[in-house]
């Protein structure tokens, strides 16, 4: 034999090193693994925290506005937007005030710089409509309203389908 051999009556080499034999190893205790990202666990915690933090919202009483009358704006404004409360009766009052009716007599005596007139047809319905068409109409509406608030005589005449 080429290398030194262990004496015949000696204990195994790993016992002298302080290491245990593989057969004598103790089984490791099984640990409970955390369930990271369990479905719905994080959302439930967030919802519970939000409910604990949330303050009760005081509901502003809804005052019915008679048709064609101006809304009473002396009451406090609600914390959240409610279309039924905000938009009710405005259109009828605007129509009664003739805000949507062009006045040809007034426009004859008005200088060109105080007029804002926009006539444009809608997009062709035979094509595909997309969000850009809506954006265009929203911008035109905003421009018309802004000129009206500046005191200009306005007319925005959206056309009919030309297809």
């Amino acid at each position: 034999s080429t290398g030194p051999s262990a004496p015949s009556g000696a204990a195994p080499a790993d016992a002298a090193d302080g290491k245990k034999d593989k057969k004598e190893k103790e089984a490791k205790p099984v640990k409970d693994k955390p369930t990271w990202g369990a479905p719905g666990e994080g959302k439930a915690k967030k919802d519970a925290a939000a409910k604990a933090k949330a303050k009760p919202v005081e509901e502003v009483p809804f005052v019915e506005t008679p048709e064609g009358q101006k809304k009473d704006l002396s009451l406090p404004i609600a914390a959240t937007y409610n279309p039924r409360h905000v938009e009710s009766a405005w259109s009828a009052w605007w129509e009664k005030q003739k805000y949507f009716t062009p006045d040809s007599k007034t426009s004859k005596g008005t200088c060109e710089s105080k007029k804002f007139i926009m006539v444009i047809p809608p997009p062709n319905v035979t094509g595909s409509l997309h969000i850009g068409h809506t954006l265009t109409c929203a911008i035109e509406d905003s421009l018309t309203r802004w000129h009206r608030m500046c005191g200009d005589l306005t007319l925005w005449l959206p056309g009919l389908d030309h297809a």
Side-chain angles (χ1 to χ4, degrees), residues 5 14 29-30 32 44 50 52 60 78 88 95 98-99 117 121 132 139 154:
S5 63
D14 47 61
V30 179
D32 292 332
V60 175
S88 67
E95 298 249 349
K98 299 187 179 188
Y99 286 145
I117 301 168
I139 291 170
T154 60

Side-chain angles (χ1 to χ4, degrees), residues 79-101:
T80 59
Y81 176 74
N82 184 338
R84 183 175 153 251
H85 293 187
V86 176
E87 304 295 333
S88 67
W90 277 121
S91 285
W93 184 71
W94 290 335
E95 298 249 349
K96 184 179 176 185
Q97 298 297 316
K98 299 187 179 188
Y99 286 145
F100 304 120
T101 307

